[in-house]
Amino acid sequence: MPFAETPLRDEYAAAVEQLARRTLDALRDGAPVAALPEPPDPEATDSRPLLAAVRVLGADLFAPQLLAGAEPDGPTAALLARARRTFPAPAAPSPEAARVVEWQDWAVGRFLARTPYGEAAPEPPVLPGPEETGWQVWSVRMSQLSGLALPGLDGPVHAHARAHSLDLARGTVRSLLRHDLTTAARLVRWLAWTGAEGLPPRLEVEPVLDRIRLAGDGSARTGLGLAVARRLLDGPADGRRAA
């Protein structure tokens, strides 16, 4: 979403961090609770920063519930639906980037369809796999789609993750060597997801999580991704790892 002024960008960025922190705190609580127990009125005149943050975090707002085996909550779903109306999908610099945005919105739509606040949308066009783009380019695209690495979602992106977990590991290591810890954090979340699917590990995930936690940017948004990966490693909410 385009932001015209630096102060406005800063305000929206701060809102994203604040909401990510709330979501992270809810996830660490271990109970299926919403990040915003009492969401503010989305019609209020000062709600745009919050709605922008909701739009950016997307499906991750449901992570505390999904990882505890619960359903998406209605108040968060209503806020997400409002955010999508207020901030339509931004213009993308390339067709591939546009597909990434469409898949991110698809994930949100899938969860909203499980509430009274939305309906499922058709799957976007499938992104090319590593056979077509090379594993380096593909792993970067998968890092941009790390928000899809959640329980309750499945589609062509997830099928690619299952089929090419070795390329995800290669992308993670490459990102670590390049000191691109943001990309590494997103890719290691996919590796944790493939582990939760019962696939053999291609890389030791826990040392990577520890490395990023110690040397990363320290942002709440990165911390949220790491916490999601950690919970995926722990297996399903009933304590049994997926078969």
Side-chain angles (χ1 to χ4, degrees):
M1 64 197 73
F3 304 141
E5 300 177 2
T6 298
L8 188 59
R9 284 200 302 269
D10 292 344
E11 184 178 4
Y12 283 15
V16 170
E17 272 295 284
Q18 183 178 31
L19 186 56
R21 173 61 60 188
R22 286 175 174 266
T23 308
L24 178 57
D25 289 343
L27 183 60
R28 285 173 172 166
D29 183 70
V33 297
L36 294 171
E38 297 180 3
D41 180 5
E43 306 291 342
T45 57
D46 60 349
S47 66
R48 286 182 68 86
L50 170 64
L51 292 173
V54 167
R55 188 71 167 91
V56 168
L57 292 181
D60 271 349
L61 292 176
F62 294 127
Q65 294 140 5
L66 298 170
L67 288 162
E71 286 294 304
D73 70 289
T76 301
L79 205 56
L80 262 166
R82 174 67 179 176
R84 281 153 59 99
R85 293 192 299 270
T86 303
F87 294 103
S94 69
E96 292 79 10
R99 295 292 88 80
V100 168
V101 174
E102 289 173 7
W103 277 106
Q104 291 168 339
D105 282 350
W106 170 84
V108 173
R110 293 279 292 189
F111 290 129
L112 290 183
R114 290 157 61 174
T115 76
Y117 299 99
E119 56 186 30
E123 289 182 354
V126 178
L127 286 163
E131 309 94 333
E132 301 166 72
T133 66
W135 64 265
Q136 295 96 331
V137 172
W138 177 79
S139 64
V140 170
R141 288 296 183 208
M142 288 297 286
S143 78
Q144 295 165 347
L145 291 169
S146 64
L148 276 66
L150 283 169
L153 286 177
D154 203 354
V157 174
H158 302 80
H160 274 175
R162 292 188 192 95
H164 302 290
S165 59
L166 180 57
D167 291 323
L168 291 172
R170 287 171 174 160
T172 303
V173 172
R174 178 174 182 264
S175 299
L176 289 172
L177 292 174
R178 292 162 61 93
H179 303 288
D180 182 0
L181 299 185
T182 298
T183 298
R186 294 170 178 173
L187 287 173
V188 80
R189 174 169 165 175
W190 273 117
L191 288 175
W193 182 88
T194 61
E197 289 282 292
L199 297 176
R202 298 292 192 166
L203 188 68
E204 289 189 53
V205 171
E206 292 196 16
V208 177
L209 293 177
D210 291 341
R211 168 65 178 166
I212 297 169
R213 186 175 296 108
L214 290 171
D217 60 13
S219 70
R221 194 174 179 193
T222 297
L224 176 59
L226 296 177
V228 169
R230 176 70 65 180
R231 288 287 295 275
L232 287 168
L233 282 181
D234 291 340
D238 63 3
R240 291 181 291 105
R241 189 171 294 277

